[in-house]
Coordinates of all heavy atoms in Angstrom, one line a residue:
Y157 N 88.6 66.2 78.2 CA 88.5 64.9 79.0 C 87.0 64.6 79.1 O 86.2 65.4 79.4 CB 89.1 65.1 80.4 CG 88.8 63.9 81.3 CD1 89.6 62.8 81.2 CD2 87.7 63.9 82.1 CE1 89.4 61.7 82.0 CE2 87.4 62.8 82.9 CZ 88.3 61.7 82.8 OH 88.0 60.6 83.6
F158 N 86.7 63.3 78.9 CA 85.3 62.8 79.3 C 85.5 61.4 79.9 O 86.4 60.7 79.6 CB 84.4 62.8 78.0 CG 84.9 61.9 76.9 CD1 84.5 60.6 76.8 CD2 85.8 62.5 75.9 CE1 85.0 59.8 75.8 CE2 86.2 61.7 74.9 CZ 85.9 60.4 74.8
P159 N 84.5 61.1 80.8 CA 84.7 59.8 81.5 C 84.3 58.7 80.5 O 83.4 58.8 79.8 CB 83.7 59.9 82.6 CG 82.7 61.0 82.2 CD 83.4 61.9 81.3
H164 N 82.7 57.1 89.5 CA 82.7 58.3 90.3 C 81.5 59.2 90.1 O 81.0 59.9 91.1 CB 84.0 59.2 89.9 CG 84.0 59.8 88.6 ND1 84.2 59.1 87.4 CD2 83.8 61.1 88.2 CE1 84.2 59.9 86.4 NE2 83.9 61.1 86.8
I165 N 80.8 59.1 89.0 CA 79.6 59.8 88.7 C 78.5 59.3 89.6 O 77.7 60.0 90.2 CB 79.3 59.9 87.2 CG1 80.4 60.7 86.6 CG2 77.9 60.4 86.9 CD1 80.5 60.7 85.1
D184 N 82.2 74.2 90.4 CA 82.8 73.0 89.8 C 84.1 73.3 89.2 O 84.2 74.0 88.1 CB 81.8 72.4 88.7 CG 82.3 71.2 88.0 OD1 83.3 70.6 88.5 OD2 81.6 70.8 87.0
I185 N 85.2 72.9 89.9 CA 86.5 73.2 89.3 C 86.9 72.1 88.4 O 86.8 70.9 88.7 CB 87.6 73.2 90.5 CG1 87.2 74.3 91.5 CG2 89.0 73.5 90.0 CD1 87.3 75.7 91.1
G186 N 87.4 72.5 87.2 CA 87.8 71.5 86.2 C 86.5 70.8 85.6 O 86.3 69.6 85.7
V187 N 85.7 71.6 84.9 CA 84.4 71.2 84.4 C 84.5 70.1 83.4 O 83.5 69.3 83.3 CB 83.6 72.4 83.9 CG1 84.2 73.0 82.7 CG2 82.1 72.1 83.7
G188 N 85.6 70.0 82.6 CA 85.7 68.9 81.6 C 84.6 69.0 80.6 O 84.4 70.0 79.9
C189 N 83.8 67.9 80.4 CA 82.7 67.9 79.5 C 81.4 68.3 80.2 O 80.3 68.3 79.6 CB 82.5 66.5 78.8 SG 82.0 65.3 80.0
G190 N 81.5 68.7 81.5 CA 80.3 69.3 82.1 C 79.5 68.4 83.0 O 78.6 68.8 83.7
V191 N 79.9 67.1 83.1 CA 79.1 66.1 83.7 C 78.7 66.4 85.2 O 77.5 66.3 85.5 CB 79.7 64.7 83.5 CG1 81.0 64.6 84.2 CG2 78.8 63.6 84.0
L192 N 79.7 66.9 86.0 CA 79.4 67.1 87.4 C 78.5 68.4 87.5 O 77.5 68.4 88.4 CB 80.6 67.3 88.2 CG 81.7 66.1 88.2 CD1 82.9 66.4 89.0 CD2 81.0 64.8 88.6
S207 N 84.9 76.2 86.1 CA 86.1 76.7 85.5 C 86.9 75.5 84.9 O 86.7 74.4 85.2 CB 87.0 77.4 86.5 OG 87.6 76.4 87.3
D208 N 87.7 75.9 83.9 CA 88.7 74.9 83.4 C 89.8 75.6 82.8 O 89.6 76.7 82.2 CB 88.0 73.9 82.4 CG 88.7 72.5 82.4 OD1 89.9 72.5 82.0 OD2 88.1 71.5 82.8
T209 N 91.0 75.0 82.9 CA 92.2 75.6 82.3 C 92.3 75.2 80.8 O 93.0 75.8 80.0 CB 93.5 75.1 82.9 OG1 93.4 73.7 83.2 CG2 93.8 75.8 84.2
N210 N 91.5 74.3 80.4 CA 91.5 73.8 79.0 C 90.4 74.6 78.2 O 89.2 74.4 78.5 CB 91.2 72.3 79.0 CG 91.1 71.7 77.6 OD1 91.2 72.4 76.6 ND2 91.1 70.4 77.6
A213 N 87.5 72.6 76.7 CA 86.5 72.2 77.6 C 85.4 73.3 77.8 O 84.2 73.0 77.7 CB 87.1 71.8 79.0
G235 N 90.1 79.4 83.1 CA 91.1 79.9 83.9 C 91.5 78.9 85.0 O 90.9 77.8 85.0
D236 N 92.4 79.3 85.8 CA 92.9 78.4 86.9 C 92.0 78.4 88.1 O 91.6 79.5 88.6 CB 94.3 79.0 87.2 CG 95.0 78.2 88.3 OD1 95.2 77.0 88.1 OD2 95.2 78.7 89.4
L237 N 91.7 77.2 88.6 CA 90.9 77.0 89.8 C 89.7 78.0 89.9 O 88.8 77.9 89.1 CB 91.9 77.1 91.0 CG 93.0 76.1 91.1 CD1 93.9 76.3 92.3 CD2 92.5 74.7 91.1
F250 N 85.5 69.1 93.0 CA 86.7 69.1 92.1 C 87.0 67.6 91.8 O 87.2 66.9 92.8 CB 87.8 69.8 92.8 CG 89.1 70.0 91.9 CD1 89.1 69.9 90.5 CD2 90.3 70.3 92.5 CE1 90.2 70.1 89.8 CE2 91.5 70.5 91.8 CZ 91.4 70.4 90.4
N251 N 86.9 67.2 90.6 CA 87.5 65.9 90.2 C 88.8 66.2 89.5 O 88.8 66.4 88.3 CB 86.5 65.2 89.2 CG 87.0 63.9 88.7 OD1 88.0 63.4 89.2 ND2 86.4 63.4 87.7
P252 N 89.9 66.2 90.3 CA 91.1 66.7 89.8 C 91.9 65.6 89.0 O 91.4 64.5 89.0 CB 91.9 67.0 91.1 CG 91.4 66.0 92.1 CD 90.0 65.7 91.7
P253 N 93.0 66.0 88.4 CA 93.9 64.9 87.8 C 94.3 64.1 89.0 O 94.5 64.5 90.1 CB 95.0 65.7 87.2 CG 94.8 67.2 87.5 CD 93.5 67.3 88.2
G264 N 96.0 71.9 77.9 CA 95.0 71.0 77.3 C 94.8 69.8 78.1 O 94.9 69.7 79.3
R267 N 96.4 68.0 81.4 CA 96.1 68.4 82.7 C 94.9 67.8 83.3 O 94.5 68.1 84.4 CB 96.0 69.9 82.8 CG 97.3 70.6 82.6 CD 97.2 72.1 82.5 NE 98.5 72.7 82.1 CZ 99.5 73.0 82.9 NH1 99.3 72.9 84.2 NH2 100.6 73.5 82.5
A268 N 94.2 66.9 82.5 CA 93.1 66.2 83.0 C 93.6 65.0 83.8 O 92.9 64.5 84.7 CB 92.2 65.7 81.9
M269 N 94.8 64.5 83.4 CA 95.3 63.3 84.0 C 96.4 63.5 85.0 O 96.6 62.8 86.0 CB 95.8 62.3 82.9 CG 94.6 61.8 82.2 SD 95.0 61.0 80.6 CE 93.9 61.9 79.5
L275 N 99.6 72.0 93.1 CA 98.2 72.3 92.7 C 97.3 72.1 93.9 O 96.4 73.0 94.1 CB 97.8 71.3 91.6 CG 96.3 71.4 91.2 CD1 96.0 72.7 90.4 CD2 95.8 70.2 90.5
R278 N 97.4 74.9 96.5 CA 96.8 76.1 96.0 C 95.3 76.0 96.1 O 94.5 76.9 96.4 CB 97.2 76.4 94.6 CG 98.6 76.9 94.4 CD 98.9 77.6 93.1 NE 98.7 76.7 92.0 CZ 97.7 76.8 91.0 NH1 96.9 77.8 91.1 NH2 97.6 76.0 90.1
R338 N 92.3 57.2 82.1 CA 93.4 57.5 83.0 C 94.2 56.3 83.4 O 95.3 56.4 83.9 CB 92.9 58.2 84.3 CG 92.3 59.5 84.0 CD 92.1 60.3 85.3 NE 90.7 60.5 85.6 CZ 90.3 61.3 86.6 NH1 91.2 61.9 87.3 NH2 89.1 61.4 86.8
Ligands
LIG401 C1 89.7 64.5 85.5 S1 89.1 65.8 84.7 C2 87.5 65.9 85.3 C3 86.5 66.5 84.3 C4 85.0 66.5 84.8 N1 84.8 67.3 86.0 C5 84.6 65.0 85.1 O1 84.4 64.7 86.3 O2 84.5 64.2 84.2 C6 90.0 67.2 85.4 C7 89.7 68.5 84.8 O3 90.3 69.5 85.5 C8 90.9 70.5 84.7 N2 91.9 71.2 85.4 C9 93.2 70.7 85.7 N3 93.9 71.7 86.4 C10 93.0 72.7 86.6 C11 93.1 74.0 87.2 N4 94.3 74.4 87.8 N5 92.1 74.8 87.2 C12 90.9 74.5 86.5 N6 90.8 73.3 85.9 C13 91.8 72.4 85.9 C14 91.4 69.7 83.5 O4 91.5 70.4 82.3 C15 90.2 68.7 83.3 O5 89.2 69.1 82.5

Side-chain angles (χ1 to χ4, degrees):
Y157 172 85
F158 58 91
H164 70 284
I165 291 169
D184 177 9
I185 302 290
V187 65
C189 67
V191 62
L192 304 181
S207 75
D208 206 296
T209 43
N210 180 351
D236 178 62
L237 299 177
F250 188 19
N251 174 14
R267 289 173 191 272
M269 288 164 234
L275 173 77
R278 288 196 300 113
R338 296 195 245 189

